[in-house]
Amino acid sequence: MFARGIKRKCFDGEEDIEGTLAGFKSVPSYNLQRQSLLDMSLVKLQLCHMLVEPNLCRSVLIANTVRQIQEEMTQDGTWQVINAQNTGQASLDRLVSSDILCRSTKEQGEGKLVPSYSSFSKDFEDIQSQDIISDLSTVASVQAPRNPQSNVWEMENPQENRGNFQKSLDQIFETLENKNPNSVEDLFSDVDNSYYDLDTVLTGMMSNTKMGHCDVLESFSSQTTTNSNSNCKSDINELDHIVEILVES
Amino acid sequence: MAGAGGGNDIQWCFSQVKGAVDDDVAEADIISTVEFNHSGELLATGDKGGRVVIFQQEQENKTQTHSRGEYNVYSTFQSHEPEFDYLKSLEIEEKINKIRWLPQKNAAQFLLSTNDKTIKLWKISERDKRPEGYNLKEEDGRYRDPTTVTTLRVPVFRPMDLMVEASPRRIFANAHTYHINSISINSDYETYLSADDLRINLWHLEITDRSFNIVDIKPANMEELTEVITAAEFHPNSCNTFVYSSSKGTIRLCDMRASALCDRHSKLFEEPEDPSNRSFFSEIISSISDVKFSHSGRYMMTRDYLSVKIWDLNMENRPVETYQVHEYLRSKLCSLYENDCIFDKFECCWNGSDSVVMTGSYNNFFRMFDRNTKRDITLEASRENNKPRTVLKPRKVCASGKRKKDEISVDSLDFNKKILHTAWHPKENIIAVATTNNLYIFQDKVN
């Protein structure tokens, strides 16, 4: 999975460390691991079941964790607002694909790219409600560059939106029909021993540490915080792979 | 009643195991709830496939002094079917989330079973006689031509093989937008509550087309949602009192006499956070997965990810007892977050005399804590110890450092083998422990 790819590169001994991490010790910096946790949480929020409603308790707890990290990063000054141009088409493709799963029809009209509880609960009366992670939406939503797919969502009126939503839902149903709904979760299910180092640092420390090299952070950037995706080709491929399973795009 | 732990206390022995032997678990067979009835004679399980299986304890055989009666299948029925919500284009799972028994009032037994959206009242009755000798019907049910009837007779009841029938008597539907996590029968035996992530409803057992909303924590703006209801239960003696727990580790006690909508709690139970243990996972592991009143009604027990806490209803600011279930997992929280195990919802239960509490863990381990002796024990539900009357060997997990013989290191634990559901017989030392798809029954050693 996405995060596992990062782990293997980073924590599995120094011979696996990428060039950009030269000089990096075997125990990663706090900021890096916090970032990794944030990435993992966002992926968890985005990949939700379509056939069965996702667990609201789990979603709330993950979202609260994201909020916590974001608050701390804001205090740190390490939270970077995304420059729309730099996010790039690639990340937008990824987000739209997986995000189709999580948005209500109203949000598709607004072209937002952030998952929300209203879609988790699919509460009819909540079609009006906005994104739960409203702060993140400033980071993740793309204003200027539009790819054709997102144009479809925002240009059409809600009725047609619903139709398109239904069409892509049907597509998703077809791809998922033979799959155990948990097959995506299985990607996350292995306990990777090499991650235990991450545990000791992350769970023990809450104190703010000095920010490490910007390079270090960027090379492990996610779609929500990166300024340049060119370092993340392999990460993109991993997430693409996951999204392909879901959408078969 | 004897306590748990080694030495002179209870020695737990394997009694029975129910379920498929092979490792390949069919998803429909995953056990999702276990519950003894009020006498302990019946043991019900619900599974992910929407089925309920009820086991009945054999009458004690006077000659068999070395063990109590075995539990054998009494009735099996399909309680819930998968449904499709057309408005939301989502499936409604048939998985049975909870079963609660009603106290027995006549020959029949009644239980409530619920999936995510619908609660059903089932009547389980026995039939061991049938009428024979109808005038207008043959024995196989075909109607006789009335012109062939020359004499009349009175039909009589003749014994037949015992048949146990389950029939749905009430269906309580369409009252929950979110997923039902708890049902609890009131001590008045006329009403019950059902709780979902954001609301709690009060029902009358006779009335299916109406329910009263007594708790609603849904924010006006769903964007502001940060806390959900995780469990709820009525007080065993006070029919006006109930509690509900939250994902933030709080328990609220409400009095239905205070107002129709119990949004304001009468008591709020919350333990202040330990700053030395603070991490990004603090909130997740504080989320309460189960709350159970003691039989006496004086205490309540809560289960969060790493511990079991006993609260005195008269003291809100901290629990009176805290037991660590698997503290060695505290350093592994990030991995457990990654593989979603951190969201596992473990249940807990009291023994009949409220002296011992039990809860499950990973690797098919389960733990018991004796409140009097302060001793605890870890046991394993495994087919390896499957000879009846074999005393279970206590297990130990080695957190770090040198692993002693017979100890298991944390890294070798199987996190797919989790014991989420356990139940304790209301009167005797018999426990039911559910692994993924097997039900184990253990008893104390009877000499």
Side-chain angles (χ1 to χ4, degrees), chain A residues 217-229:
Chain A
L217 259 183
E218 279 177 44
S219 61
F220 286 93
S221 54
S222 73
Q223 60 272 29
T224 58
T225 59
T226 188
N227 276 335
S228 100
N229 272 338

Side-chain angles (χ1 to χ4, degrees), chain B residues 61-99:
Chain B
N61 195 331
K62 295 288 188 289
T63 60
Q64 254 190 336
T65 52
H66 49 261
S67 73
R68 297 189 185 77
E70 278 200 344
Y71 283 84
N72 300 313
V73 177
Y74 177 66
S75 171
T76 304
F77 56 94
Q78 186 75 33
S79 171
H80 286 71
E81 298 276 1
E83 283 173 50
F84 196 78
D85 182 337
Y86 292 97
L87 280 183
K88 300 180 186 177
S89 291
L90 289 170
E91 238 184 52
I92 299 171
E93 280 192 309
E94 66 274 32
K95 171 168 74 89
I96 308 294
N97 293 337
K98 284 283 168 4
I99 289 174

Side-chain angles (χ1 to χ4, degrees), chain A residues 180-182, chain B residues 24-31 47-49 51 93 436:
Chain A
N180 182 330
N182 288 326
Chain B
D24 217 7
V25 180
E27 191 143 333
D29 292 340
I30 295 174
I31 297 173
D47 65 25
K48 203 162 178 212
R51 290 166 304 195
E93 280 192 309
T436 308

Side-chain angles (χ1 to χ4, degrees), chain B residues 257-275:
Chain B
R257 297 169 300 188
S259 70
L261 186 61
C262 301
D263 271 357
R264 297 216 316 261
H265 52 261
S266 301
K267 296 195 185 189
L268 174 67
F269 298 84
E270 188 173 14
E271 184 172 24
E273 198 178 6
D274 177 5

Side-chain angles (χ1 to χ4, degrees), chain A:
Chain A
M1 63 157 250
F2 180 55
R4 195 194 292 158
I6 291 179
K7 287 199 314 280
R8 293 232 172 90
K9 274 182 258 173
C10 185
F11 307 147
D12 264 13
E14 299 179 88
E15 56 272 14
D16 295 320
I17 291 177
E18 297 264 272
T20 49
L21 300 173
F24 197 60
K25 297 284 184 282
S26 55
V27 176
S29 79
Y30 173 77
N31 281 359
L32 202 56
Q33 293 174 24
R34 181 176 59 184
Q35 183 64 51
S36 193
L37 182 63
L38 178 64
D39 297 342
M40 196 198 325
S41 305
L42 290 171
V43 171
K44 277 183 187 296
L45 280 178
Q46 286 186 342
L47 293 171
C48 30
H49 297 309
M50 269 318 285
L51 290 179
V52 178
E53 278 176 271
N55 187 326
L56 188 63
C57 182
R58 176 176 173 274
S59 306
V60 167
L61 290 172
I62 297 172
N64 289 350
T65 307
V66 166
R67 212 179 274 120
Q68 254 187 68
I69 297 174
Q70 184 216 327
E71 271 166 26
E72 194 184 277
M73 286 175 87
T74 307
Q75 284 168 15
D76 262 356
T78 56
W79 186 259
Q80 299 162 30
V81 177
I82 275 220
N83 182 327
Q85 297 288 20
N86 293 339
T87 306
Q89 298 293 88
S91 64
L92 187 55
D93 287 341
R94 290 207 308 278
L95 280 179
V96 169
S97 309
S98 58
D99 195 50
I100 283 170
L101 305 179
C102 299
R103 283 184 295 165
S104 69
T105 52
K106 162 92 178 184
E107 286 157 86
Q108 281 142 35
E110 293 164 355
K112 293 256 175 77
L113 292 170
V114 178
S116 82
Y117 287 145
S118 62
S119 58
F120 291 149
S121 67
K122 290 278 197 263
D123 195 330
F124 223 57
E125 70 213 55
D126 284 340
I127 288 284
Q128 302 295 320
S129 62
Q130 298 154 32
D131 300 330
I132 188 130
I133 310 172
S134 48
D135 290 342
L136 283 180
S137 71
T138 64
V139 170
S141 67
V142 177
Q143 301 304 322
R146 300 288 192 196
N147 78 1
Q149 242 175 325
S150 75
N151 274 339
V152 161
W153 297 124
E154 73 182 281
M155 292 312 212
E156 292 167 2
N157 60 42
Q159 255 72 37
E160 288 177 58
N161 267 348
R162 234 169 255 131
N164 284 328
F165 184 63
Q166 190 56 40
K167 256 186 261 166
S168 51
L169 257 191
D170 289 339
Q171 277 172 7
I172 291 163
F173 279 15
E174 277 160 34
T175 61
L176 287 178
E177 66 182 339
N178 291 325
K179 295 207 193 309
N180 182 330
N182 288 326
S183 64
V184 170
E185 300 294 287
D186 288 347
L187 294 171
F188 301 89
S189 64
D190 290 345
V191 177
D192 188 334
N193 289 339
S194 66
Y195 218 31
Y196 287 164
D197 291 332
L198 177 69
D199 289 330
T200 45
V201 178
L202 258 186
T203 56
M205 290 166 50
M206 271 302 274
S207 56
N208 295 335
T209 58
K210 281 252 184 279
M211 184 177 158
H213 289 287
C214 291
D215 299 318
V216 163
L217 259 183
E218 279 177 44
S219 61
F220 286 93
S221 54
S222 73
Q223 60 272 29
T224 58
T225 59
T226 188
N227 276 335
S228 100
N229 272 338
S230 51
N231 296 340
C232 303
K233 276 289 183 311
S234 47
D235 302 335
I236 290 171
N237 288 338
E238 294 234 30
L239 195 54
D240 262 348
H241 175 62
I242 294 166
V243 164
E244 259 175 52
I245 293 170
L246 293 167
V247 176
E248 266 200 41
S249 49

Side-chain angles (χ1 to χ4, degrees), chain A residues 37 41 44 62, chain B residues 281 284 333-340 343:
Chain A
L37 182 63
S41 305
K44 277 183 187 296
I62 297 172
Chain B
F281 306 107
I284 299 179
L333 291 179
C334 198
S335 305
L336 294 166
Y337 179 71
E338 187 200 349
N339 64 17
D340 268 6
F343 301 108

Side-chain angles (χ1 to χ4, degrees), chain A residues 191 196, chain B residues 329 336 339 341 362 410 413-418:
Chain A
V191 177
Y196 287 164
Chain B
L329 294 183
L336 294 166
N339 64 17
C341 281
Y362 293 105
V410 183
L413 294 175
D414 187 341
F415 289 92
N416 291 319
K417 293 188 180 171
K418 44 195 97 173

